């Protein structure tokens, strides 16, 4: 089953590789601009998407063996709510801070201001896909647990074909200086399409009972993220103006303070708007802590492992 699994889970990586190859058609610098943007996007994707997806597969497999479809659905919806709450602000923050982040991490010597602008454009179009890349990492393991690996493989192949077509179209139609960003946008859009198709197919296999809680969580996360984006953008703009004379250290200080303010605002406001999610997570943590203190195994490992 390794072949279908690799194809199903690797659609994003294949699309990124195709982006890099076709970027040579755009300009000699385009592959490097995409590569620099990808490296930043991989951080939140690895922390949120890949880590949760890795834990979910054995959890889903155990629940399938127990023929507990309700638990599969509960675990999946909990993972989706968690990813919405964590990956969505990461996507928006990278869109807003694409240029200062690129400047801080890369700009020095041969990597000049022009290179910063080019890489930042690619990052701004890769970043919206972080949420969908992460969601796919949570959705695909359900099919593997159900021993239906050909379904995500077929969807993945279709997404790769769509990405290739969109890459050609955007190279031919987007203005000069933005064609490589079109490649990044195609990959993000294809991740969105893959998420939608996976959800529709999966809904026919495990049902959609409880989906309303996911929709409510999504609305809350979107509202929180939009306000956080305004706060983060305004904060960094003010700090950058006042710390520009300190050079690279000023950039470091401005970014560190901006991130701290953004995180503090998001989680503080989240406590007010998403209190049920916080209480649920805290209750599960306390339950596991008591079990560990008493030297007893967690009686409901499947529903707890993902956390």
């Amino acid at each position: 089953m390794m072949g279908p699994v690799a194809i199903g889970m690797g659609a994003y990586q294949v699309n990124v590789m195709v982006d890099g190859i076709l970027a040579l058609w755009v300009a000699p610098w385009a592959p490097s601009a995409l590569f620099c943007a990808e490296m930043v996007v991989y951080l939140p994707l690895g922390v949120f998407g890949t880590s949760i997806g890795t834990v979910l597969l054995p959890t889903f497999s155990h629940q399938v063996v127990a023929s507990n479809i309700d638990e599969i659905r509960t675990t999946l919806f909990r993972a989706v709510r968690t990813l919405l709450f964590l990956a969505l602000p990461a996507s928006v923050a990278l869109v807003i801070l694409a240029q200062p982040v690129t400047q801080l991490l890369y700009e020095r010597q041969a990597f000049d201001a022009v290179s910063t602008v080019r890489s930042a454009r690619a990052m701004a179009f890769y970043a919206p896909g972080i949420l969908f890349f992460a969601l796919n990492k949570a959705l695909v393991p359900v099919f593997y647990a159900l021993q239906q690996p050909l379904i995500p493989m077929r969807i993945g192949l279709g997404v790769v074909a769509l990405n290739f077509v969109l890459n050609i179209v955007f190279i031919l139609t987007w203005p000069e200086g933005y064609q490589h960003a079109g490649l990044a946008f195609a990959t993000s859009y294809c991740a969105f399409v893959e998420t939608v198709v996976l959800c529709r197919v999966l809904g026919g296999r495990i049902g959609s009972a409880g989906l309303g809680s996911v929709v409510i969580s999504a609305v809350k996360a979107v509202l929180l993220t939009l306000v956080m984006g305004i706060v983060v953008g305004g904060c960094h703009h003010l700090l950058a103006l006042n710390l520009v004379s300190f050079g690279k250290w000023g950039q470091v200080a401005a970014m560190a303070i901006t991130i701290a303010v953004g995180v503090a605002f998001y989680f503080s406001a989240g406590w007010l708007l998403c209190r049920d999610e916080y209480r649920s997570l805290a209750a599960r943590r306390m339950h596991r802590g008591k079990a560990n203190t008493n030297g007893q195994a967690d009686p409901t490992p499947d529903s707890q492992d993902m956390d």
Side-chain angles (χ1 to χ4, degrees):
M1 297 174 66
M2 185 176 69
V5 169
I7 296 174
M9 290 291 286
Y12 167 66
Q13 283 75 17
V14 173
N15 286 340
V16 167
M17 181 183 68
V18 172
D19 292 349
I21 295 173
L22 291 179
L24 293 169
W25 185 8
V26 175
W29 49 263
S32 296
L34 289 174
F35 176 79
C36 292
E38 292 159 16
M39 291 301 101
V40 179
V41 169
Y42 278 137
L43 176 60
L45 178 59
V47 172
F48 305 136
T50 304
S51 59
I52 289 179
T54 300
V55 174
L56 284 176
L57 180 55
T59 302
F60 287 141
S61 298
H62 184 83
Q63 292 165 347
V64 167
V65 170
S67 300
N68 199 332
I69 299 299
D70 290 338
E71 276 296 319
I72 293 175
R73 191 166 52 244
T74 299
T75 302
L76 176 63
F77 287 169
R78 184 180 299 144
V80 170
R81 290 198 302 270
T82 300
L83 289 172
L84 283 168
F85 193 68
L86 297 176
L88 187 58
S91 294
V92 172
L94 275 182
V95 171
I96 295 173
L97 301 176
Q99 185 153 336
V101 166
T102 304
Q103 184 181 34
L104 173 62
L105 294 177
Y106 296 117
E107 189 173 307
R108 58 182 58 84
Q109 298 176 358
F111 199 103
D112 56 13
V114 175
S115 300
T116 294
V117 171
R118 291 168 174 169
S119 293
R121 287 173 181 170
M123 188 185 302
F125 284 96
Y126 267 136
I130 291 175
L131 174 62
F132 305 112
F133 302 148
L135 287 176
N136 293 338
K137 296 286 188 180
L139 295 170
V140 170
V142 182
F143 291 97
Y144 299 151
L146 294 171
Q147 296 188 17
Q148 298 176 348
L150 293 180
I151 294 176
M153 184 192 76
R154 291 166 182 160
I155 296 173
L157 291 174
V159 166
V160 170
L162 176 63
N163 181 70
F164 180 81
V165 172
L166 290 178
N167 280 347
I168 301 298
V169 172
F170 293 156
I171 288 175
L172 296 175
T173 59
W174 281 40
E176 185 177 356
Y178 284 88
Q179 293 164 317
H180 70 297
L183 302 179
F185 175 71
T187 297
S188 295
Y189 176 74
C190 287
F192 163 73
V193 172
E194 185 177 11
T195 301
V196 172
V197 176
L198 286 171
C199 286
R200 289 183 63 87
V201 175
L202 194 56
R205 282 160 174 76
I206 66 173
S208 58
L211 184 61
S213 63
V214 178
V215 174
I216 294 173
S217 295
V219 172
K220 291 178 180 179
V222 168
L223 292 175
L224 276 174
T225 301
L226 290 176
V227 179
M228 182 213 69
I230 296 173
V231 172
V232 165
C235 178
H236 188 272
H237 178 71
L238 293 175
L239 290 170
L241 289 177
N242 290 283
L243 298 175
V244 65
S245 59
F246 293 94
K248 186 64 70 174
W249 286 110
Q251 296 175 20
V252 172
M255 187 60 63
I257 296 172
T258 298
I259 292 174
V261 170
V263 170
F265 173 84
Y266 186 78
F267 284 98
S268 297
W271 170 250
L272 299 175
L273 191 60
C274 306
R275 192 165 295 183
D276 291 340
E277 285 82 354
Y278 274 87
R279 286 174 176 172
S280 178
L281 180 60
R284 290 193 295 270
R285 292 294 186 189
M286 291 178 63
H287 175 78
R288 296 186 70 182
K290 290 179 180 179
N292 292 335
T293 300
N294 296 331
Q296 300 173 352
D298 193 334
T300 55
D302 299 331
S303 62
Q304 308 297 332
D305 285 345
M306 189 278 297
D307 298 316

